[in-house]
Amino acid sequence: MSQERKKRWVMVVDPDKCIDCKACDVACKRENGMDAGTDQQVYRNWITSKGVEGTYPYLKERFEPSQCQHCQNPPCVKVCPTSASYQTEDGLVAIDYKRCIVCASCILACPYDARYKSPQTKVIDKCTFCAHRIAEGKLPACVDTCPTKVRVFGDLNDPNSEVARLLATRHYRVLKPEQGTKPSLFYLS
Amino acid sequence: MKVSRRKFLAGSVAGLGALGAGSAGLRFVRKAEAQGRAGEVKYVNSSCAICTSKCVFRGQVVNGIIRRLEPEPDFPKSRGMMCARGNAGAWTPYDPDRVKYPLIRTGRRGEGKWRKATWEEAYKYIADKTNQVVEEEGGHRSCIGFASSEGTYQEMYWHQFREVFGSPNSLRHPTLCLSSVIRGFQSVFGTYPVTDLKNARYVIMAGANRAEAIFTPDTMDIFSRPKGSYKLIYLDPRFTKTAAKADQWLPIKPGTDMAFALALAHVIIAENLYDRDFVANFCTGFDELVEHVKPYSPEWAAEETGIAAADIRQIARELATTPHSVFYPGRRSSWQGEEVQTRRAIAIVNALIGAFDRPGGLLPAVGVPMRSYFYEPAWYTQTRPRLESDDVMFLGPRDGSWVAWRDRALKADPYRIRGLFIYKQNVLEAVPDRDKSMKLFDQMDIIVCIDTFMSDTAWYADVVLPESNYLERLDPPQSLGGIEPTAVFRQPLIDRLYDTKPGFEIVSELAAYFEDEDGFKLSEYFEGSPEEHARNFVADHPGAWEQLREKAFITVPKVQFGAYRQEGRRINTATGKVELYSEDFAGRGLDPLPVFRRCEEPGPDQFRFLVGRHAIHTNSMTAAFPELNWHQPENAVWLNPEPAARLGINDGDLVQMQNRSGAQVTVKAKVTAGIRPDCVYYAPGYGAISPGKPLVYQRGASQAAILESHFEPISGNALMHETIVEIRRV
């Protein structure tokens, strides 16, 4: 049996295609059994906008979907006192919920504001790239549900993957590169 | 905008809502979760009911509880997408506020006092009251009005019930939405066409806010394409999310779309840019059009629309010279009094550029051929024409004209309406001028409401009959026309919860309590079951039933472009040609070519009220879905900074709005450059007057409360943009 090649899960985001319809957020909450109730702090992914910019009638508005960046150099993992936050071989940043003591260090350490306290489990939670779905060969729920296919998910170590092709042929950027976190989310520009 | 959760932890944000409502239902979901994912997982394909697109999904059911509705990748219309509303629909069977058993009112109407009833009691109560009214009216059954809405594939049973009951008064959704667009395009192309946005290279959308008024496949076809592969020109008084995605946003003055379209025609003809072959071979009335559009220059249109003449001229040239260009027909609710003629003008522009029956153009909506639902009609000796039959030129017998009908009913002209039977329509929020609807309700001897939720309308009814949710029902297939014709089907993911019944059972059982003139029970007109009807619908397609059970849709081969351009092929108009000039309209005393007439303008410190859509909501239906409400717990009125400063209104202030008929609403202000200074807007679905949907009860403002009642006399469409309001800070 040949040794299985290590995967590197990444997401390529094309913000130009985002229509801010919130399908990703609702699909994520449903897929991951999240009940936010009326708590505005509870979400795993989000779409940011600076609002309408410019002076009437010369206006523009841009939408930028985001979530946990699954950094290669994750500050949340470094600060976690119980090793509840950890990195998997595939490049995912995961949480061992049993180890979490809800000290919130990771919430403060994350430059992307990706973590929240779950009202259901009472521990810290965040996007998992739908690891349970990836394991079944499915796409993350937000990727799957998106009407305009803003997000492309795949294995960057596979040169034939759509993500590898996009990153080879398009200009892209990452969020907050100055933080040195090496995110796994790439934004086409 | 998002609140920093780090800030929240530091204690500087108090964001935790005290409202616990809406959480109870997720207990069901959590119960399934608790039993573990290792439990029994099954997938059932079915189709969505949260808007008219009817996308097919794969419902994931864990231990008998719906966990998630995943998009079905093979369904050609939605191709693996599920919008926020569709995703949130998984919640609906478990909503603690759904109607769980039949209810009979015990207090005053609207007081909210009910008693739980058995179905038999409820049927008998309805029949006793209704039969008494019919008797008092001398046997005339037209005194009962029937309302219903789209999205349920069981609506045909409702029409069957109305017809065998013997009332002509049927009111549906189209005259609150798109009947004017249908009429306008039909008069030119003989069809209300679909648009091939996938292949379109240059698209004009006027008001059709496809980034928010999500409609599959159109929304996907255009916005999922790479930037630069098409150009989108968007006209709207409001900077919507479609405007944010467009190459050019033009804040057109409301009510002047026709002026814009006529000026496009003017330039295209004057500069000889029209499709000569198409016009010569397939159109009639070109010479009349040439003369007609001469005065409608871009300079003239600039005065009317507020769009620079140079822009209009450039758009006309680009539209006519870019291959695969199209002026999207749109579907926005009516702007103003010349609504059908406005749509005719847009259709005429499309004809001039040959955007018919070619890739990137318009195409007749072809459906999947199916057997139709057949039943024996009842026969009554005493019949009367429907109430508003003299008010509307092209009155659809099933659609009716809601606003015109209500005006007649309020005056009992020419006869009285004494009962309302309502199937899945929230009349009090869907129909403009809620005060008038309430007055109509006050006049009724009996109001029956069939719904899954306690809408405002259900709350003001006398009897509420709970229909089973769309995830608990089997609904016969329904054909969806388009370039990829499909028929979609609904089947239960779970057993029915509570004491609810599907529409067919309700109407066929209720029918047993009524008799026709010959003394036959009306239930004798109903046969079979939805499943038997469904099988029969597709009996001509081998294997279709099995595919419906497995996939919840069937397809027929894609439409090939060019079929209508072949020799001898007629289109569906009287002349068999695309009618730029309409003899039919001329014969009825209507303008045979669209003539621009100015609509009434708001005075100083007055505003035109706009309606519009939001991607997370379907009209008034979804605002109280917890996962959707989370994104927008209440609505706010959009106001341009210039008038806001003049009126001393700041962002977040509470303002009072009043329309010309004296109706008032109080709502928060959102001061934004994203709207014309002479217009205001707020989202639909909020400001409920009853606690049946607690998340929107008295939160925000209702559109129906502020919209004045006006209708368009050619198609009967409600005029959603003829409302003029004044605003002051509270």
Side-chain angles (χ1 to χ4, degrees), chain B residues 6-301:
Chain B
R6 285 174 287 162
K7 259 199 210 160
F8 168 69
L9 277 181
S12 63
V13 178
L16 275 172
L19 235 122
S23 308
L26 269 178
R27 273 205 305 264
F28 286 94
V29 181
R30 264 188 245 124
K31 207 164 74 186
E33 290 279 312
Q35 285 162 19
R37 289 195 183 125
E40 189 217 349
V41 180
K42 64 168 184 168
Y43 281 92
V44 182
N45 270 39
S46 189
S47 62
C48 189
I50 310 291
C51 88
T52 55
S53 292
K54 295 153 184 149
C55 302
V56 172
F57 56 76
R58 309 169 67 226
Q60 191 190 46
V61 184
V62 181
N63 296 327
I65 288 164
I66 300 164
R67 184 162 167 272
R68 171 87 205 283
L69 307 178
E70 296 182 10
E72 165 57 56
D74 295 339
F75 181 58
K77 287 204 191 295
S78 60
R79 302 185 289 264
M81 89 96 171
M82 193 85 189
C83 72
R85 301 166 291 171
N87 272 296
W91 151 271
T92 52
Y94 309 113
D95 191 310
D97 296 311
R98 66 181 282 194
V99 191
K100 302 182 181 86
Y101 32 76
L103 295 167
I104 296 174
R105 174 171 67 83
T106 55
R108 276 179 296 111
R109 202 174 266 160
E111 199 181 5
K113 288 189 179 157
W114 303 94
R115 71 180 171 87
K116 186 176 169 177
T118 64
W119 284 91
E120 291 69 28
E121 273 179 283
Y123 293 145
K124 190 168 181 315
Y125 184 93
I126 295 165
D128 286 351
K129 284 251 182 182
T130 309
N131 285 329
Q132 191 191 335
V133 167
V134 170
E135 204 170 299
E136 285 169 16
E137 291 297 311
H140 278 295
R141 289 150 178 266
S142 46
C143 62
I144 306 295
F146 288 77
S148 60
S149 195
E150 293 181 28
T152 160
Y153 312 162
Q154 301 212 1
E155 199 193 0
M156 60 192 176
Y157 302 129
W158 183 248
H159 292 295
Q160 181 186 3
F161 180 83
R162 176 183 56 76
E163 281 168 24
V164 299
F165 176 83
S167 171
N169 288 305
S170 168
L171 296 150
R172 297 183 65 242
H173 171 78
T175 56
L176 303 170
C177 187
L178 78 168
S179 65
S180 57
V181 187
I182 295 174
R183 177 50 53 199
F185 271 79
Q186 268 183 348
S187 71
V188 175
F189 287 113
T191 178
Y192 172 53
V194 291
T195 313
D196 176 27
L197 285 174
K198 206 191 257 178
N199 294 305
R201 297 282 307 280
Y202 190 92
V203 182
I204 303 176
M205 284 186 175
N209 177 12
R210 279 291 168 258
E212 292 181 278
I214 291 181
F215 188 75
T216 54
D218 292 11
T219 299
M220 304 172 69
D221 278 348
I222 189 150
F223 298 111
S224 62
R225 286 167 59 181
K227 213 178 177 188
S229 65
Y230 66 96
K231 193 167 176 185
L232 175 62
I233 309 294
Y234 182 64
L235 283 71
D236 198 316
R238 187 164 68 91
F239 189 79
T240 62
K241 284 164 191 170
T242 305
K245 295 280 119 184
D247 295 273
Q248 202 174 352
W249 171 58
L250 298 163
I252 189 169
K253 187 165 157 189
T256 68
D257 289 37
M258 192 209 286
F260 177 78
L262 289 171
L264 294 184
H266 173 101
V267 176
I268 292 168
I269 292 172
E271 301 189 3
N272 273 315
L273 301 173
Y274 58 94
D275 184 332
R276 287 177 175 277
D277 275 356
F278 186 80
V279 169
N281 292 322
F282 303 104
C283 300
T284 167
F286 180 67
D287 296 338
E288 289 90 339
L289 179 69
V290 170
E291 283 308 307
H292 181 75
V293 298
K294 272 186 180 157
Y296 296 125
S297 68
E299 287 70 25
W300 164 82

Side-chain angles (χ1 to χ4, degrees), chain B residues 388-538:
Chain B
E388 80 286 30
S389 53
D390 292 339
D391 300 337
V392 175
M393 184 69 74
F394 296 96
L395 188 65
R398 270 195 177 177
D399 297 346
S401 170
W402 239 121
V403 174
W405 187 87
R406 188 185 55 195
D407 284 352
R408 289 273 184 175
L410 281 167
K411 288 185 283 191
D413 173 21
Y415 55 86
R416 283 173 78 190
I417 297 292
R418 296 185 55 185
L420 278 176
F421 282 29
I422 303 163
Y423 177 50
K424 199 196 165 282
Q425 188 173 42
N426 186 1
V427 174
L428 293 180
E429 184 55 30
V431 188
D433 203 338
R434 188 167 68 193
D435 289 349
K436 272 195 181 179
S437 299
M438 293 293 283
K439 269 193 204 114
L440 181 71
F441 277 31
D442 287 345
Q443 291 181 6
M444 293 299 119
D445 291 76
I446 173 86
I447 303 174
V448 179
C449 194
I450 300 174
D451 212 328
T452 52
F453 285 105
M454 210 62 184
S455 67
D456 281 351
T457 305
W459 192 266
Y460 281 87
D462 303 324
V463 183
V464 185
L465 302 176
E467 191 181 25
S468 301
N469 182 280
Y470 73 105
L471 301 168
E472 304 164 341
R473 283 200 319 251
L474 186 146
D475 291 357
Q478 195 161 73
S479 175
L480 300 180
I483 295 156
E484 298 175 287
T486 61
V488 293
F489 169 68
R490 223 167 255 154
Q491 58 189 336
L493 276 62
I494 51 170
D495 293 338
R496 293 177 206 171
L497 294 174
Y498 313 114
D499 191 10
T500 64
K501 290 172 191 275
F504 178 78
E505 265 178 54
I506 297 174
V507 294
S508 57
E509 288 175 10
L510 179 60
Y513 292 77
F514 292 93
E515 287 176 1
D516 67 10
E517 274 186 3
D518 300 322
F520 290 109
K521 279 188 175 174
L522 296 188
S523 49
E524 290 184 33
Y525 291 96
F526 291 86
E527 276 178 8
S529 67
E531 180 170 337
E532 284 166 36
H533 305 148
R535 282 172 182 270
N536 182 53
F537 273 25
V538 295

